[in-house]
Amino acid sequence: MVVEKQSLIRSFRERFPGSGGVRVVRAPGRVNLIGEHTDYNLGWVCPIAIDLACHIAWSHNEDGVLRLWSANVREMREFPVARLQELEPARHWSDYVAGVARELALLNFSPEPANLFIHSTVPTGAGLSSSAALELSSALALLSTRTVAAPAPPLLEIVKLCRRAENDFVGMPCGIMDQFVSAFAREGAAIAIDCRSLEHTPAPLPAGVKAVAVNSMVKHELGQSAYPQRVAQCREAVSILQRKHPEISSLRDARMEYLSDSGLDGVPLKRARHVVSEDERVAEFIGAASSGDLKRMGELFVASHRSLQHDYEVSCEELDFLVDNAIALPGVWGARMTGGGFGGCTVNLVAEDAVGAFEESISRAYRGRYGLTPQFYACSPADGACEL
Ligand code: GLA
Protein backbone atom coordinates (compact mmCIF):
# COMPACT_ATOMS: atom_id res chain seq x y z
CA MET A 1 0.00 0.00 0.00
CA VAL A 2 1.74 3.13 -1.22
CA VAL A 3 1.04 6.24 0.83
CA GLU A 4 1.18 9.37 -1.27
CA LYS A 5 3.40 12.11 0.05
CA GLN A 6 0.94 14.86 -0.90
CA SER A 7 -2.01 13.19 0.79
CA LEU A 8 0.07 12.72 3.94
CA ILE A 9 1.01 16.41 3.90
CA ARG A 10 -2.67 17.31 3.51
CA SER A 11 -3.60 15.16 6.51
CA PHE A 12 -0.74 16.73 8.46
CA ARG A 13 -2.05 20.22 7.71
CA GLU A 14 -5.58 19.28 8.79
CA ARG A 15 -4.25 18.01 12.10
CA PHE A 16 -1.74 20.84 12.62
CA PRO A 17 -3.16 23.89 10.79
CA GLY A 18 -0.88 26.88 10.29
CA SER A 19 2.35 24.83 10.22
CA GLY A 20 5.32 25.86 8.11
CA GLY A 21 7.20 23.60 5.69
CA VAL A 22 6.38 19.91 6.03
CA ARG A 23 8.84 17.10 5.39
CA VAL A 24 8.05 13.40 5.10
CA VAL A 25 10.11 10.29 5.89
CA ARG A 26 9.30 6.62 5.59
CA ALA A 27 10.74 3.37 6.93
CA PRO A 28 9.53 -0.08 5.80
CA GLY A 29 8.47 -3.20 7.65
CA ARG A 30 10.05 -6.51 6.70
CA VAL A 31 9.51 -10.18 6.04
CA ASN A 32 12.32 -12.44 7.08
CA LEU A 33 12.84 -15.14 4.45
CA ILE A 34 15.08 -17.32 6.58
CA GLY A 35 17.36 -17.07 9.62
CA GLU A 36 14.90 -16.93 12.51
CA HIS A 37 16.03 -16.27 16.07
CA THR A 38 19.60 -16.19 14.83
CA ASP A 39 20.20 -12.42 14.97
CA TYR A 40 20.67 -12.14 18.75
CA ASN A 41 22.92 -15.19 18.49
CA LEU A 42 25.07 -13.15 16.08
CA GLY A 43 24.34 -15.46 13.16
CA TRP A 44 22.87 -14.82 9.71
CA VAL A 45 19.48 -13.60 8.51
CA CYS A 46 17.97 -12.99 5.09
CA PRO A 47 15.06 -10.54 5.24
CA ILE A 48 13.41 -8.31 2.65
CA ALA A 49 11.92 -4.88 3.27
CA ILE A 50 8.30 -4.68 2.12
CA ASP A 51 6.24 -1.86 0.72
CA LEU A 52 4.23 -1.55 3.93
CA ALA A 53 5.89 1.27 5.84
CA CYS A 54 5.64 3.82 8.62
CA HIS A 55 5.44 7.41 7.33
CA ILE A 56 6.06 10.50 9.40
CA ALA A 57 5.20 13.99 8.20
CA TRP A 58 6.64 16.68 10.47
CA SER A 59 7.06 20.41 10.84
CA HIS A 60 8.69 22.62 13.48
CA ASN A 61 6.57 24.14 16.28
CA GLU A 62 7.17 27.03 18.68
CA ASP A 63 6.01 25.15 21.75
CA GLY A 64 9.20 23.52 23.00
CA VAL A 65 7.70 20.03 22.65
CA LEU A 66 7.76 16.97 20.48
CA ARG A 67 4.10 16.46 19.70
CA LEU A 68 3.18 13.06 18.25
CA TRP A 69 -0.08 12.24 16.56
CA SER A 70 -0.70 8.64 15.63
CA ALA A 71 -3.20 8.52 12.79
CA ASN A 72 -3.52 4.76 13.40
CA VAL A 73 -4.67 4.87 17.01
CA ARG A 74 -5.84 8.52 16.83
CA GLU A 75 -3.94 9.65 19.90
CA MET A 76 -1.74 12.63 20.73
CA ARG A 77 1.33 12.62 23.00
CA GLU A 78 3.74 15.42 23.99
CA PHE A 79 7.24 15.44 25.41
CA PRO A 80 9.18 18.58 26.43
CA VAL A 81 12.27 18.69 24.24
CA ALA A 82 14.41 19.98 27.12
CA ARG A 83 13.70 16.82 29.16
CA LEU A 84 14.07 14.01 26.65
CA GLN A 85 16.95 12.43 28.55
CA GLU A 86 14.68 11.92 31.56
CA LEU A 87 11.88 10.13 29.68
CA GLU A 88 10.57 6.93 31.23
CA PRO A 89 8.72 4.15 29.36
CA ALA A 90 4.92 4.30 29.62
CA ARG A 91 4.10 0.91 28.03
CA HIS A 92 2.45 2.76 25.18
CA TRP A 93 2.93 2.96 21.38
CA SER A 94 4.73 6.27 21.89
CA ASP A 95 7.55 4.47 23.76
CA TYR A 96 9.14 3.56 20.42
CA VAL A 97 9.38 7.23 19.48
CA ALA A 98 10.23 8.41 23.00
CA GLY A 99 12.96 5.76 23.31
CA VAL A 100 14.54 6.91 20.05
CA ALA A 101 14.24 10.59 21.07
CA ARG A 102 15.92 9.78 24.38
CA GLU A 103 18.78 7.92 22.68
CA LEU A 104 19.31 10.86 20.33
CA ALA A 105 19.35 13.29 23.25
CA LEU A 106 21.85 11.11 25.14
CA LEU A 107 24.12 11.19 22.08
CA ASN A 108 23.83 14.98 21.80
CA PHE A 109 21.63 14.83 18.73
CA SER A 110 18.67 16.29 20.55
CA PRO A 111 15.76 16.99 18.18
CA GLU A 112 14.12 20.42 17.97
CA PRO A 113 10.48 21.12 18.81
CA ALA A 114 8.23 19.62 16.14
CA ASN A 115 4.81 18.18 15.40
CA LEU A 116 4.92 14.64 14.02
CA PHE A 117 2.06 13.01 12.12
CA ILE A 118 2.60 9.25 12.16
CA HIS A 119 0.83 6.91 9.79
CA SER A 120 1.83 3.28 9.39
CA THR A 121 0.56 0.68 6.95
CA VAL A 122 2.56 -2.08 8.68
CA PRO A 123 0.01 -4.06 10.71
CA THR A 124 0.89 -4.41 14.39
CA GLY A 125 1.22 -7.88 15.90
CA ALA A 126 1.72 -9.45 12.47
CA GLY A 127 5.45 -10.09 12.85
CA LEU A 128 6.21 -7.64 10.01
CA SER A 129 8.24 -5.37 12.23
CA SER A 130 5.92 -2.42 12.73
CA SER A 131 8.06 -1.38 15.72
CA ALA A 132 11.35 -1.13 13.81
CA ALA A 133 9.55 0.81 11.07
CA LEU A 134 8.30 3.26 13.70
CA GLU A 135 11.73 3.53 15.32
CA LEU A 136 13.60 4.12 12.07
CA SER A 137 11.11 6.64 10.71
CA SER A 138 11.16 8.44 14.08
CA ALA A 139 14.95 8.58 14.06
CA LEU A 140 15.04 10.03 10.54
CA ALA A 141 12.28 12.54 11.30
CA LEU A 142 13.77 13.64 14.63
CA LEU A 143 17.27 13.99 13.20
CA SER A 144 15.97 16.10 10.34
CA THR A 145 14.35 18.54 12.82
CA ARG A 146 17.84 19.69 13.82
CA THR A 147 18.83 23.04 12.41
CA VAL A 148 22.43 22.91 13.69
CA ALA A 149 24.99 22.35 10.97
CA ALA A 150 26.55 19.23 12.57
CA PRO A 151 26.12 16.07 10.45
CA ALA A 152 23.71 13.31 11.50
CA PRO A 153 25.21 10.04 12.75
CA PRO A 154 26.01 7.39 10.10
CA LEU A 155 23.10 5.08 9.19
CA LEU A 156 24.60 2.14 11.07
CA GLU A 157 24.71 4.20 14.27
CA ILE A 158 21.06 5.12 13.71
CA VAL A 159 20.22 1.43 13.38
CA LYS A 160 22.07 0.65 16.61
CA LEU A 161 20.45 3.44 18.59
CA CYS A 162 17.00 2.32 17.41
CA ARG A 163 17.76 -1.18 18.60
CA ARG A 164 18.99 0.20 21.94
CA ALA A 165 15.73 2.14 22.26
CA GLU A 166 13.83 -1.12 21.82
CA ASN A 167 16.14 -3.13 24.12
CA ASP A 168 16.57 -0.62 26.92
CA PHE A 169 13.50 1.64 26.77
CA VAL A 170 10.73 -0.58 25.39
CA GLY A 171 12.30 -3.58 27.17
CA MET A 172 12.28 -6.05 24.27
CA PRO A 173 15.68 -7.80 23.97
CA CYS A 174 15.48 -8.11 20.15
CA GLY A 175 18.42 -8.62 17.82
CA ILE A 176 19.44 -6.16 15.12
CA MET A 177 17.69 -7.65 12.07
CA ASP A 178 14.53 -5.55 11.95
CA GLN A 179 16.15 -2.15 12.38
CA PHE A 180 18.97 -3.11 10.03
CA VAL A 181 16.80 -4.20 7.12
CA SER A 182 14.43 -1.25 7.59
CA ALA A 183 17.46 1.01 7.10
CA PHE A 184 19.69 -0.80 4.62
CA ALA A 185 17.30 -2.67 2.32
CA ARG A 186 17.47 -1.95 -1.41
CA GLU A 187 14.69 -2.52 -3.90
CA GLY A 188 14.72 -5.78 -5.83
CA ALA A 189 16.61 -8.14 -3.51
CA ALA A 190 16.61 -9.67 -0.06
CA ILE A 191 19.64 -8.84 2.06
CA ALA A 192 21.88 -11.38 3.71
CA ILE A 193 23.16 -9.93 6.97
CA ASP A 194 25.97 -11.21 9.15
CA CYS A 195 24.67 -10.09 12.54
CA ARG A 196 28.14 -10.10 14.07
CA SER A 197 30.19 -8.15 11.53
CA LEU A 198 27.07 -6.39 10.18
CA GLU A 199 28.33 -6.95 6.67
CA HIS A 200 25.43 -7.31 4.27
CA THR A 201 25.03 -8.34 0.66
CA PRO A 202 22.05 -8.35 -1.70
CA ALA A 203 20.46 -11.78 -2.20
CA PRO A 204 18.28 -11.64 -5.33
CA LEU A 205 15.45 -14.15 -5.64
CA PRO A 206 14.96 -16.21 -8.80
CA ALA A 207 12.43 -14.95 -11.35
CA GLY A 208 8.94 -16.42 -11.41
CA VAL A 209 8.52 -16.78 -7.65
CA LYS A 210 6.78 -14.53 -5.11
CA ALA A 211 7.31 -14.32 -1.38
CA VAL A 212 3.77 -14.16 -0.03
CA ALA A 213 3.21 -13.38 3.63
CA VAL A 214 0.05 -14.76 5.19
CA ASN A 215 -1.18 -13.12 8.37
CA SER A 216 -2.69 -15.66 10.77
CA MET A 217 -4.48 -12.74 12.47
CA VAL A 218 -3.55 -14.18 15.88
CA LYS A 219 -0.91 -13.06 18.36
CA HIS A 220 -0.62 -15.23 21.44
CA GLU A 221 0.32 -13.48 24.69
CA LEU A 222 2.88 -16.20 25.42
CA GLY A 223 5.22 -14.64 22.84
CA GLN A 224 5.88 -11.68 25.15
CA SER A 225 7.58 -13.79 27.81
CA ALA A 226 8.87 -16.51 25.47
CA TYR A 227 11.19 -14.19 23.50
CA PRO A 228 13.35 -13.07 26.46
CA GLN A 229 13.21 -16.65 27.70
CA ARG A 230 14.65 -17.92 24.39
CA VAL A 231 17.40 -15.28 24.55
CA ALA A 232 18.28 -16.52 28.05
CA GLN A 233 18.15 -20.19 27.02
CA CYS A 234 20.61 -19.51 24.19
CA ARG A 235 22.96 -17.84 26.67
CA GLU A 236 22.68 -20.88 28.91
CA ALA A 237 23.52 -23.17 25.98
CA VAL A 238 26.60 -21.04 25.24
CA SER A 239 27.84 -21.28 28.83
CA ILE A 240 27.49 -25.09 28.78
CA LEU A 241 29.30 -25.31 25.41
CA GLN A 242 32.08 -23.07 26.70
CA ARG A 243 33.21 -25.70 29.23
CA LYS A 244 34.50 -27.82 26.35
CA HIS A 245 34.88 -25.07 23.72
CA PRO A 246 36.03 -21.93 25.55
CA GLU A 247 36.54 -20.02 22.29
CA ILE A 248 32.77 -19.85 21.71
CA SER A 249 31.16 -16.54 22.62
CA SER A 250 27.77 -17.01 20.97
CA LEU A 251 25.83 -19.81 19.27
CA ARG A 252 27.07 -18.40 15.98
CA ASP A 253 30.45 -19.97 16.82
CA ALA A 254 29.10 -23.44 17.61
CA ARG A 255 29.14 -26.33 15.13
CA MET A 256 26.72 -29.21 14.97
CA GLU A 257 29.28 -31.69 16.31
CA TYR A 258 29.88 -29.54 19.42
CA LEU A 259 26.29 -30.10 20.45
CA SER A 260 26.87 -33.79 21.04
CA ASP A 261 30.35 -33.61 22.59
CA SER A 262 29.60 -30.95 25.23
CA GLY A 263 27.05 -32.55 27.52
CA LEU A 264 24.23 -30.34 26.22
CA ASP A 265 20.82 -31.87 26.66
CA GLY A 266 17.16 -31.05 27.22
CA VAL A 267 15.98 -27.53 26.42
CA PRO A 268 19.43 -25.91 25.85
CA LEU A 269 20.25 -28.66 23.34
CA LYS A 270 17.03 -28.09 21.40
CA ARG A 271 17.51 -24.32 21.31
CA ALA A 272 21.15 -24.60 20.23
CA ARG A 273 20.28 -27.20 17.59
CA HIS A 274 17.77 -24.81 16.04
CA VAL A 275 20.18 -21.88 15.94
CA VAL A 276 23.16 -23.82 14.60
CA SER A 277 21.10 -25.59 11.94
CA GLU A 278 19.30 -22.36 11.01
CA ASP A 279 22.61 -20.61 10.39
CA GLU A 280 23.54 -23.46 8.06
CA ARG A 281 20.18 -23.17 6.30
CA VAL A 282 20.66 -19.44 5.68
CA ALA A 283 23.99 -20.07 3.94
CA GLU A 284 22.49 -22.86 1.89
CA PHE A 285 19.41 -20.81 1.03
CA ILE A 286 21.47 -17.93 -0.33
CA GLY A 287 23.43 -20.37 -2.51
CA ALA A 288 20.23 -22.02 -3.74
CA ALA A 289 18.64 -18.63 -4.47
CA SER A 290 21.64 -17.51 -6.51
CA SER A 291 21.54 -20.67 -8.62
CA GLY A 292 17.74 -20.48 -9.02
CA ASP A 293 17.18 -23.76 -7.17
CA LEU A 294 13.59 -23.18 -6.03
CA LYS A 295 13.13 -26.77 -4.93
CA ARG A 296 15.99 -26.54 -2.44
CA MET A 297 14.93 -23.08 -1.27
CA GLY A 298 11.49 -24.50 -0.52
CA GLU A 299 12.89 -27.51 1.34
CA LEU A 300 14.99 -25.19 3.48
CA PHE A 301 11.90 -23.12 4.29
CA VAL A 302 10.09 -26.21 5.53
CA ALA A 303 13.12 -27.47 7.48
CA SER A 304 13.37 -24.06 9.13
CA HIS A 305 9.72 -24.18 10.12
CA ARG A 306 10.00 -27.69 11.59
CA SER A 307 13.02 -26.61 13.60
CA LEU A 308 11.16 -23.56 14.94
CA GLN A 309 8.15 -25.74 15.66
CA HIS A 310 9.86 -28.62 17.44
CA ASP A 311 13.27 -27.43 18.66
CA TYR A 312 12.82 -23.72 19.26
CA GLU A 313 9.13 -24.12 20.15
CA VAL A 314 8.00 -20.68 18.97
CA SER A 315 5.34 -21.70 16.47
CA CYS A 316 1.67 -22.21 17.28
CA GLU A 317 -1.24 -24.25 16.02
CA GLU A 318 -2.45 -21.59 13.56
CA LEU A 319 1.00 -21.10 11.98
CA ASP A 320 1.51 -24.87 11.68
CA PHE A 321 -1.90 -25.15 10.03
CA LEU A 322 -1.02 -22.45 7.50
CA VAL A 323 2.33 -24.08 6.69
CA ASP A 324 0.95 -27.62 6.44
CA ASN A 325 -1.85 -26.47 4.14
CA ALA A 326 0.41 -24.30 2.00
CA ILE A 327 2.98 -26.99 1.25
CA ALA A 328 0.25 -29.35 0.04
CA LEU A 329 -0.78 -26.88 -2.69
CA PRO A 330 0.48 -26.89 -6.30
CA GLY A 331 2.92 -24.09 -7.10
CA VAL A 332 4.08 -23.71 -3.50
CA TRP A 333 7.80 -24.34 -3.12
CA GLY A 334 7.91 -23.92 0.64
CA ALA A 335 6.38 -22.22 3.68
CA ARG A 336 7.47 -21.26 7.18
CA MET A 337 6.59 -18.99 10.06
CA THR A 338 8.41 -15.67 9.97
CA GLY A 339 9.38 -13.25 12.76
CA GLY A 340 9.29 -13.92 16.49
CA GLY A 341 6.48 -16.51 16.34
CA PHE A 342 3.41 -17.36 18.47
CA GLY A 343 1.22 -15.91 15.73
CA GLY A 344 1.81 -13.26 13.10
CA CYS A 345 2.75 -14.34 9.60
CA THR A 346 3.98 -17.24 7.56
CA VAL A 347 6.09 -16.60 4.47
CA ASN A 348 5.47 -18.72 1.40
CA LEU A 349 7.48 -19.21 -1.79
CA VAL A 350 4.81 -19.37 -4.45
CA ALA A 351 5.11 -19.63 -8.25
CA GLU A 352 3.94 -16.30 -9.66
CA ASP A 353 1.11 -17.85 -11.66
CA ALA A 354 -0.15 -19.84 -8.66
CA VAL A 355 -0.53 -16.90 -6.22
CA GLY A 356 -4.26 -16.35 -6.88
CA ALA A 357 -5.20 -20.01 -6.35
CA PHE A 358 -2.90 -20.20 -3.32
CA GLU A 359 -4.61 -17.27 -1.62
CA GLU A 360 -8.04 -18.65 -2.36
CA SER A 361 -7.29 -22.14 -1.01
CA ILE A 362 -5.53 -20.90 2.12
CA SER A 363 -8.25 -18.41 2.84
CA ARG A 364 -10.96 -21.04 2.55
CA ALA A 365 -9.12 -23.61 4.67
CA TYR A 366 -8.18 -21.11 7.40
CA ARG A 367 -11.65 -19.62 7.62
CA GLY A 368 -13.10 -23.12 7.79
CA ARG A 369 -10.81 -24.12 10.64
CA TYR A 370 -10.48 -20.93 12.70
CA GLY A 371 -13.26 -18.63 11.48
CA LEU A 372 -10.64 -15.98 10.67
CA THR A 373 -9.88 -14.45 7.28
CA PRO A 374 -6.13 -14.33 6.77
CA GLN A 375 -4.54 -11.32 5.11
CA PHE A 376 -2.09 -11.74 2.24
CA TYR A 377 0.85 -9.53 1.33
CA ALA A 378 2.73 -10.16 -1.91
CA CYS A 379 6.18 -8.99 -0.89
CA SER A 380 8.34 -7.28 -3.48
CA PRO A 381 11.67 -6.27 -1.97
CA ALA A 382 11.44 -2.53 -1.23
CA ASP A 383 13.92 0.23 -0.39
CA GLY A 384 15.05 1.05 3.14
CA ALA A 385 14.23 4.15 5.16
CA CYS A 386 14.51 7.55 3.46
CA GLU A 387 13.10 11.04 3.21
CA LEU A 388 10.47 11.34 0.49
C1 GLA B 1 11.73 -10.44 16.28
C2 GLA B 1 12.95 -9.64 16.71
C3 GLA B 1 14.12 -9.89 15.77
C4 GLA B 1 14.37 -11.39 15.56
C5 GLA B 1 13.07 -12.10 15.23
C6 GLA B 1 13.23 -13.60 15.17
O1 GLA B 1 11.25 -9.96 15.07
O2 GLA B 1 12.66 -8.26 16.74
O3 GLA B 1 15.27 -9.24 16.27
O4 GLA B 1 14.99 -11.95 16.67
O5 GLA B 1 12.05 -11.82 16.17
O6 GLA B 1 14.08 -13.95 14.14
Side-chain angles (χ1 to χ4, degrees), residues 327-344:
I327 58 179
L329 293 174
V332 177
W333 295 102
R336 54 181 291 279
M337 56 154 275
T338 182
F342 297 99

PDB file of all heavy atoms in Angstrom, residues 327-344:
ATOM      1  N   ILE A 327       2.023 -26.118   1.959  1.00  0.00           N
ATOM      2  CA  ILE A 327       2.981 -26.985   1.245  1.00  0.00           C
ATOM      3  C   ILE A 327       2.284 -28.143   0.524  1.00  0.00           C
ATOM      4  O   ILE A 327       2.906 -28.841  -0.272  1.00  0.00           O
ATOM      5  CB  ILE A 327       4.118 -27.502   2.160  1.00  0.00           C
ATOM      6  CG1 ILE A 327       3.559 -28.273   3.341  1.00  0.00           C
ATOM      7  CG2 ILE A 327       4.991 -26.339   2.620  1.00  0.00           C
ATOM      8  CD1 ILE A 327       4.645 -28.821   4.268  1.00  0.00           C
ATOM      9  N   ALA A 328       0.989 -28.322   0.777  1.00  0.00           N
ATOM     10  CA  ALA A 328       0.253 -29.352   0.038  1.00  0.00           C
ATOM     11  C   ALA A 328      -0.312 -28.810  -1.272  1.00  0.00           C
ATOM     12  O   ALA A 328      -0.874 -29.559  -2.060  1.00  0.00           O
ATOM     13  CB  ALA A 328      -0.887 -29.883   0.919  1.00  0.00           C
ATOM     14  N   LEU A 329      -0.164 -27.495  -1.508  1.00  0.00           N
ATOM     15  CA  LEU A 329      -0.780 -26.881  -2.693  1.00  0.00           C
ATOM     16  C   LEU A 329       0.173 -26.866  -3.893  1.00  0.00           C
ATOM     17  O   LEU A 329       1.388 -26.699  -3.711  1.00  0.00           O
ATOM     18  CB  LEU A 329      -1.193 -25.442  -2.373  1.00  0.00           C
ATOM     19  CG  LEU A 329      -2.325 -25.264  -1.351  1.00  0.00           C
ATOM     20  CD1 LEU A 329      -2.516 -23.795  -1.019  1.00  0.00           C
ATOM     21  CD2 LEU A 329      -3.629 -25.876  -1.888  1.00  0.00           C
ATOM     22  N   PRO A 330      -0.376 -26.991  -5.111  1.00  0.00           N
ATOM     23  CA  PRO A 330       0.479 -26.888  -6.302  1.00  0.00           C
ATOM     24  C   PRO A 330       1.061 -25.482  -6.421  1.00  0.00           C
ATOM     25  O   PRO A 330       0.401 -24.505  -6.065  1.00  0.00           O
ATOM     26  CB  PRO A 330      -0.491 -27.175  -7.459  1.00  0.00           C
ATOM     27  CG  PRO A 330      -1.861 -26.988  -6.904  1.00  0.00           C
ATOM     28  CD  PRO A 330      -1.797 -27.223  -5.436  1.00  0.00           C
ATOM     29  N   GLY A 331       2.300 -25.395  -6.882  1.00  0.00           N
ATOM     30  CA  GLY A 331       2.925 -24.086  -7.105  1.00  0.00           C
ATOM     31  C   GLY A 331       3.541 -23.484  -5.855  1.00  0.00           C
ATOM     32  O   GLY A 331       4.075 -22.381  -5.895  1.00  0.00           O
ATOM     33  N   VAL A 332       3.464 -24.227  -4.738  1.00  0.00           N
ATOM     34  CA  VAL A 332       4.076 -23.706  -3.501  1.00  0.00           C
ATOM     35  C   VAL A 332       5.387 -24.460  -3.266  1.00  0.00           C
ATOM     36  O   VAL A 332       5.399 -25.673  -3.089  1.00  0.00           O
ATOM     37  CB  VAL A 332       3.124 -23.880  -2.289  1.00  0.00           C
ATOM     38  CG1 VAL A 332       3.811 -23.402  -1.005  1.00  0.00           C
ATOM     39  CG2 VAL A 332       1.833 -23.110  -2.525  1.00  0.00           C
ATOM     40  N   TRP A 333       6.491 -23.695  -3.274  1.00  0.00           N
ATOM     41  CA  TRP A 333       7.796 -24.340  -3.117  1.00  0.00           C
ATOM     42  C   TRP A 333       8.116 -24.593  -1.646  1.00  0.00           C
ATOM     43  O   TRP A 333       8.816 -25.547  -1.316  1.00  0.00           O
ATOM     44  CB  TRP A 333       8.888 -23.459  -3.734  1.00  0.00           C
ATOM     45  CG  TRP A 333       8.756 -23.318  -5.205  1.00  0.00           C
ATOM     46  CD1 TRP A 333       8.248 -22.260  -5.897  1.00  0.00           C
ATOM     47  CD2 TRP A 333       9.133 -24.288  -6.202  1.00  0.00           C
ATOM     48  NE1 TRP A 333       8.275 -22.502  -7.254  1.00  0.00           N
ATOM     49  CE2 TRP A 333       8.822 -23.735  -7.468  1.00  0.00           C
ATOM     50  CE3 TRP A 333       9.701 -25.567  -6.141  1.00  0.00           C
ATOM     51  CZ2 TRP A 333       9.064 -24.419  -8.660  1.00  0.00           C
ATOM     52  CZ3 TRP A 333       9.945 -26.243  -7.328  1.00  0.00           C
ATOM     53  CH2 TRP A 333       9.624 -25.669  -8.560  1.00  0.00           C
ATOM     54  N   GLY A 334       7.627 -23.730  -0.775  1.00  0.00           N
ATOM     55  CA  GLY A 334       7.911 -23.916   0.644  1.00  0.00           C
ATOM     56  C   GLY A 334       7.168 -22.884   1.463  1.00  0.00           C
ATOM     57  O   GLY A 334       6.668 -21.884   0.932  1.00  0.00           O
ATOM     58  N   ALA A 335       7.082 -23.145   2.781  1.00  0.00           N
ATOM     59  CA  ALA A 335       6.383 -22.221   3.676  1.00  0.00           C
ATOM     60  C   ALA A 335       6.996 -22.338   5.064  1.00  0.00           C
ATOM     61  O   ALA A 335       7.491 -23.404   5.446  1.00  0.00           O
ATOM     62  CB  ALA A 335       4.894 -22.556   3.729  1.00  0.00           C
ATOM     63  N   ARG A 336       6.968 -21.231   5.795  1.00  0.00           N
ATOM     64  CA  ARG A 336       7.467 -21.257   7.177  1.00  0.00           C
ATOM     65  C   ARG A 336       6.912 -20.071   7.941  1.00  0.00           C
ATOM     66  O   ARG A 336       6.436 -19.108   7.344  1.00  0.00           O
ATOM     67  CB  ARG A 336       9.001 -21.215   7.201  1.00  0.00           C
ATOM     68  CG  ARG A 336       9.599 -20.037   6.429  1.00  0.00           C
ATOM     69  CD  ARG A 336      11.111 -20.048   6.464  1.00  0.00           C
ATOM     70  NE  ARG A 336      11.590 -19.754   7.788  1.00  0.00           N
ATOM     71  CZ  ARG A 336      11.688 -18.533   8.311  1.00  0.00           C
ATOM     72  NH1 ARG A 336      11.375 -17.462   7.622  1.00  0.00           N
ATOM     73  NH2 ARG A 336      12.103 -18.369   9.531  1.00  0.00           N
ATOM     74  N   MET A 337       6.939 -20.168   9.273  1.00  0.00           N
ATOM     75  CA  MET A 337       6.593 -18.985  10.063  1.00  0.00           C
ATOM     76  C   MET A 337       7.720 -17.972   9.900  1.00  0.00           C
ATOM     77  O   MET A 337       8.861 -18.320   9.603  1.00  0.00           O
ATOM     78  CB  MET A 337       6.392 -19.328  11.541  1.00  0.00           C
ATOM     79  CG  MET A 337       7.565 -20.020  12.212  1.00  0.00           C
ATOM     80  SD  MET A 337       7.646 -19.756  14.010  1.00  0.00           S
ATOM     81  CE  MET A 337       8.523 -18.178  14.118  1.00  0.00           C
ATOM     82  N   THR A 338       7.378 -16.693  10.069  1.00  0.00           N
ATOM     83  CA  THR A 338       8.413 -15.667   9.969  1.00  0.00           C
ATOM     84  C   THR A 338       8.281 -14.705  11.140  1.00  0.00           C
ATOM     85  O   THR A 338       7.176 -14.502  11.643  1.00  0.00           O
ATOM     86  CB  THR A 338       8.325 -14.912   8.621  1.00  0.00           C
ATOM     87  OG1 THR A 338       9.375 -13.953   8.536  1.00  0.00           O
ATOM     88  CG2 THR A 338       6.995 -14.203   8.432  1.00  0.00           C
ATOM     89  N   GLY A 339       9.410 -14.171  11.611  1.00  0.00           N
ATOM     90  CA  GLY A 339       9.381 -13.254  12.756  1.00  0.00           C
ATOM     91  C   GLY A 339       9.493 -14.008  14.070  1.00  0.00           C
ATOM     92  O   GLY A 339       9.928 -15.163  14.105  1.00  0.00           O
ATOM     93  N   GLY A 340       9.103 -13.363  15.147  1.00  0.00           N
ATOM     94  CA  GLY A 340       9.295 -13.917  16.489  1.00  0.00           C
ATOM     95  C   GLY A 340       8.481 -15.180  16.761  1.00  0.00           C
ATOM     96  O   GLY A 340       8.910 -16.037  17.522  1.00  0.00           O
ATOM     97  N   GLY A 341       7.299 -15.310  16.152  1.00  0.00           N
ATOM     98  CA  GLY A 341       6.480 -16.511  16.341  1.00  0.00           C
ATOM     99  C   GLY A 341       5.275 -16.291  17.238  1.00  0.00           C
ATOM    100  O   GLY A 341       4.908 -15.148  17.523  1.00  0.00           O
ATOM    101  N   PHE A 342       4.619 -17.388  17.639  1.00  0.00           N
ATOM    102  CA  PHE A 342       3.408 -17.364  18.473  1.00  0.00           C
ATOM    103  C   PHE A 342       2.278 -16.578  17.811  1.00  0.00           C
ATOM    104  O   PHE A 342       1.491 -15.913  18.490  1.00  0.00           O
ATOM    105  CB  PHE A 342       3.708 -16.792  19.870  1.00  0.00           C
ATOM    106  CG  PHE A 342       4.686 -17.633  20.633  1.00  0.00           C
ATOM    107  CD1 PHE A 342       6.028 -17.271  20.694  1.00  0.00           C
ATOM    108  CD2 PHE A 342       4.274 -18.805  21.244  1.00  0.00           C
ATOM    109  CE1 PHE A 342       6.940 -18.075  21.380  1.00  0.00           C
ATOM    110  CE2 PHE A 342       5.177 -19.611  21.933  1.00  0.00           C
ATOM    111  CZ  PHE A 342       6.513 -19.244  21.990  1.00  0.00           C
ATOM    112  N   GLY A 343       2.225 -16.648  16.478  1.00  0.00           N
ATOM    113  CA  GLY A 343       1.216 -15.907  15.727  1.00  0.00           C
ATOM    114  C   GLY A 343       1.927 -15.044  14.708  1.00  0.00           C
ATOM    115  O   GLY A 343       3.095 -15.264  14.398  1.00  0.00           O
ATOM    116  N   GLY A 344       1.216 -14.084  14.160  1.00  0.00           N
ATOM    117  CA  GLY A 344       1.807 -13.263  13.104  1.00  0.00           C
ATOM    118  C   GLY A 344       1.751 -13.996  11.782  1.00  0.00           C
ATOM    119  O   GLY A 344       0.775 -14.682  11.492  1.00  0.00           O
TER     120      GLY A 344
END
